Amino acid sequence: MELKGWTYLFVGVTFALYLFIALYTRVKSTKGFYVAGQGVPAVFNGMATGADWMSAASFISMAGLISFMGYTGGMYLMGWTGGYVLLALLLAPYLRKYGKYTVPDFVGDRYYSNVARGVAIFCAIFISFTYVAGQMRGVGVVFSRFLEVDIDVGVILGMAIVFFYATLGGMKGITWTQVVQYCVLIMAFLIPAIAISLEMTGSPIPQVGFGGEVQSGPNAGRKLLEVIDSLHRDLGFAEYTAAFEGGKKSMVDVFAITLALMVGTAGLPHVIIRFYTVKTVRAARWSAFWALLFIGLLYTAAPAVAVFARVNMIETVHNADYKELPPWFSNWETAGLIVWVDKDGDGKVDYGPGAAFDGKPTFAETPDGEPARGALGQRLVTNTISSAKNELYVDRDIIVLANPEIANLPPWVVALVAAGALAAALSTAAGLLLVISSAVAHDLMKKMVRPEMTEKEELRWARGAAGCAVLVAGYLGINPPGFVAQVVAFAFGLAASSFFPLIVLGIFSTRTSKQAGIAGMLTGIVFTAGYIIYFKFISPELNVESNWLFGISPEGIGAIGMLLNFAVTMTVTRFTPPPPLEVQATVLRVREPSVETLEVAEH
């Protein structure tokens, strides 16, 4: 069977399964819609959390970023995994014990203010829409290559699927769909990684092969990491394993991005809400353990996949005759995600540092709307050609998806990777849409606008809000502000600067007042969002290290926003009245288990 047939088979079967689960788990109560009835077993919640957490950025883009950035790309790996540990130990059990459905619900009650609740609703929606843009972009990338449709059409197909199972099943349907999606995505990531590791290094364990020796070819007997460093030196790139050489991010920026990703993880509403779906605080702790285990399977393999793909791509493409390139190259070229510009007219692909042309490719067309082709059959672009000697543009988001093709794995493996990428993107998109839906229906309408509304009316609002959110998410997927992982990094920065300080101080400080919480949250998100918008949208030409505050890029500015939030919150707390006694008592009760609770746990 050809690749397209395998892709239709795997994608069709998995999509049919997702839709069946949505129909089977259709909910009729708000508790079922928001928190899956709070009856999900810990191990399955761990799998669902893993799928919710491992988005298109984790599956598609993280290995791609590490592949291009080398050592400094590890900041995504460290930030996201370290952040999950922080969430599991510091926040999740306490939030589950507090017993609310959503993060704005917690903020509104803990800070005894509808103003605080309103600001939290805005932050939750803003963060979720920023995050979901990356997921829908990932869906479009997969569809454009493997089903040979336009990226925009792929985004629309993804919107339709998510709309169906998110609005029907709510959190209950999403949870059991995510359990299946985890199984799909982890097999799709590990099977090709194991096969390539075995072929290149003789080890069936990618994490071991990553540091092993090459088994065949001109580099046989050399360490794989030595080979990639040598390739980088020969081509003029900074060494792959080097830390902070020229051409790589500075230590300050790497530290800031890692910190922003870490604390942003602990403040992401769609991850926090997963811990409300289990029965008890004990189950919340166990689901955190299982989730970390399931997440670790992919995250520890990602650096190996990055190296395998990088070495294979360079050895296959660089200095190769364009007409003799393997089919995978032309397939991705048709999708518009690989572009070759023959600057020296020798018909060979010269790969090296620098951009092939300004910005992302803008393709030339013939008068009848067909792609314009050069003398050798390459796609032509209308962008200004840069002065760099590099002739190759490679979209970072394709590295994991193209890796099995570059390594000549069977078509069914390539199709499985496509199904896994869709599972990763759709699972997170569904969780984010539920956050937006619950923020509108539960936190805004039920808690603030119409407290008297019935449960049936609230459920109708929730489904309507989810539908509208899907439309906005689709637009953002069609017009994304960057690579998948970059877009997601912005969302983490926003979460770090808004929710994390508020939740930490709300749990561990009885003194923090509502005025302080509101001031800190607004300061953090306004500063961070303003910084990102300025450098990414208003003045992108100024987005260089010499213009950044303290040398910190927009991806890492959430770390400064978080510190500002903490500083403003603690300062304002000193000059405002303390919370009511009942709020302080609730905080103490959540943080310190009672004797009865300890006795039950012992038995």
Side-chain angles (χ1 to χ4, degrees):
M1 190 185 299
E2 296 294 325
L3 172 59
K4 195 169 183 180
W6 280 111
T7 304
Y8 275 115
L9 176 63
F10 280 133
V11 172
V13 168
T14 53
F15 276 20
L17 188 55
Y18 304 157
L19 296 178
F20 170 77
I21 292 172
L23 287 170
Y24 185 76
T25 58
R26 184 174 182 178
V27 295
K28 296 182 179 179
S29 68
T30 52
K31 188 175 183 180
F33 191 91
Y34 295 139
V35 290
Q38 294 187 320
V40 181
V43 65
F44 290 113
N45 193 53
M47 295 177 76
T49 304
D52 204 355
W53 172 240
M54 291 187 292
S55 63
S58 294
F59 190 98
I60 296 176
S61 204
M62 182 174 64
L65 283 168
I66 296 173
S67 185
F68 277 80
M69 298 174 69
Y71 178 92
T72 52
M75 61 191 175
Y76 291 94
L77 186 70
M78 294 183 292
W80 285 333
T81 50
Y84 190 82
V85 174
L86 189 66
L87 170 66
L89 296 178
L90 197 60
L91 302 182
Y94 302 107
L95 289 172
R96 173 62 187 86
K97 190 174 181 182
Y98 207 94
K100 298 299 177 181
Y101 285 172
T102 67
V103 173
D105 214 6
F106 165 80
V107 171
D109 281 12
R110 166 58 185 86
Y111 292 94
Y112 49 99
S113 166
N114 271 343
V115 175
R117 189 189 304 274
V119 175
I121 290 169
F122 168 78
C123 292
I125 293 173
F126 188 32
I127 291 165
S128 297
F129 272 132
T130 304
Y131 203 148
V132 84
Q135 311 315 307
M136 302 314 293
R137 159 72 178 176
V139 171
V141 169
V142 176
F143 273 123
S144 69
R145 163 62 187 94
F146 295 105
L147 297 183
E148 299 177 12
V149 299
D150 187 78
I151 287 182
D152 296 354
V153 175
V155 171
I156 293 170
L157 291 173
M159 288 167 55
I161 296 295
V162 173
F163 173 80
F164 191 83
Y165 74 76
T167 56
L168 270 183
M171 180 58 86
K172 186 176 181 181
I174 288 172
T175 296
W176 293 108
T177 302
Q178 286 174 338
V179 169
V180 175
Q181 286 168 331
Y182 175 79
C183 297
V184 173
L185 73 87
I186 200 65
M187 287 191 298
F189 197 88
L190 291 182
I191 287 175
I194 291 168
I196 298 171
S197 179
L198 193 59
E199 180 183 346
M200 291 184 71
T201 68
S203 172
I205 304 173
Q207 294 88 338
V208 175
F210 172 62
E213 295 181 351
V214 177
Q215 295 296 295
S216 60
N219 293 307
R222 296 179 66 190
K223 292 285 187 182
L224 181 61
L225 292 177
E226 290 178 3
V227 171
I228 195 169
D229 276 343
S230 177
L231 289 172
H232 271 225
R233 284 194 300 269
D234 292 343
L235 295 179
F237 291 104
E239 282 194 359
Y240 190 86
T241 59
F244 307 109
E245 290 187 353
K248 292 197 170 189
K249 283 186 173 292
S250 67
M251 183 185 297
V252 170
D253 198 25
V254 168
F255 178 81
I257 293 174
T258 304
L259 180 59
L261 294 175
M262 185 176 293
V263 297
T265 296
L268 283 177
H270 78 286
V271 178
I272 291 173
I273 200 173
R274 286 242 50 95
F275 295 96
Y276 294 136
T277 64
V278 293
K279 296 179 181 179
T280 63
V281 175
R282 178 182 174 87
R285 292 184 186 276
W286 272 105
S287 65
F289 164 79
W290 286 115
L292 192 58
L293 178 65
F294 294 138
I295 291 168
L297 292 176
L298 186 146
Y299 270 58
T300 55
V305 171
V307 173
F308 299 155
R310 184 73 172 168
V311 170
N312 277 335
M313 188 193 76
I314 292 174
E315 291 183 340
T316 302
V317 172
H318 175 63
N319 206 33
D321 191 306
Y322 177 77
K323 290 185 176 180
E324 297 177 0
L325 286 170
W328 68 264
F329 189 95
S330 60
N331 291 335
W332 284 104
E333 192 177 32
T334 300
L337 299 172
I338 283 182
V339 182
W340 173 59
V341 182
D342 193 10
K343 294 182 178 180
D344 55 14
D346 65 353
K348 292 186 176 182
V349 180
D350 295 317
Y351 184 49
F357 42 78
D358 292 342
K360 289 192 174 184
T362 302
F363 297 103
E365 294 183 348
T366 62
D368 58 0
E370 293 297 317
R373 300 283 181 179
L376 298 174
Q378 75 271 30
R379 292 198 67 175
L380 298 180
V381 297
T382 59
N383 300 56
T384 303
I385 304 300
S386 77
S387 58
K389 292 183 179 179
N390 178 38
E391 298 181 345
L392 185 67
Y393 167 84
V394 182
D395 191 304
R396 299 179 184 186
D397 290 340
I398 74 167
I399 290 299
V400 171
L401 301 174
N403 195 26
E405 293 181 278
I406 300 173
N408 294 314
L409 295 184
W412 70 266
V413 178
V414 180
L416 179 62
V417 171
L422 290 171
L426 294 175
S427 61
T428 303
L432 291 164
L433 292 171
L434 189 71
V435 167
I436 297 168
S437 171
S438 58
V440 172
H442 181 73
D443 299 312
L444 178 62
M445 296 304 300
K446 176 68 175 177
K447 292 289 186 175
M448 296 177 65
V449 179
R450 289 186 55 202
E452 74 281 1
M453 75 161 54
T454 65
E455 186 172 6
K456 187 176 180 179
E457 288 176 319
E458 185 180 349
L459 193 58
R460 191 159 52 242
W461 267 98
R463 288 188 166 127
C468 293
V470 168
L471 297 177
V472 178
Y475 173 81
L476 294 173
I478 293 171
N479 301 281
F483 295 113
V484 172
Q486 284 181 321
V487 175
V488 170
F490 298 151
F492 279 79
L494 296 171
S497 62
S498 57
F499 282 137
F500 179 74
L502 201 68
I503 296 172
V504 169
L505 292 174
I507 292 172
F508 294 99
S509 169
T510 58
R511 178 65 180 81
T512 306
S513 65
K514 66 178 180 181
Q515 296 90 341
I518 294 168
M521 188 163 44
L522 284 173
T523 299
I525 198 162
V526 168
F527 168 79
T528 304
Y531 192 91
I532 292 171
I533 291 169
Y534 177 77
F535 281 116
K536 284 296 178 179
F537 302 103
I538 297 176
S539 300
E541 71 280 1
L542 299 178
N543 189 22
V544 293
E545 186 174 354
S546 59
N547 294 325
W548 295 339
L549 181 66
F550 306 125
I552 297 174
S553 65
E555 289 87 349
I557 199 63
I560 302 299
M562 175 202 67
L563 296 177
L564 285 174
N565 188 333
F566 270 120
V568 169
T569 303
M570 290 189 288
T571 300
V572 174
T573 292
R574 294 175 60 89
F575 299 99
T576 51
L581 292 178
E582 58 269 23
V583 172
Q584 297 186 48
T586 300
V587 172
L588 291 173
R589 186 167 59 251
V590 167
R591 197 170 67 234
E592 299 173 7
S594 63
V595 174
E596 291 80 11
T597 303
L598 290 174
E599 289 177 350
V600 170
E602 289 174 358
H603 290 83

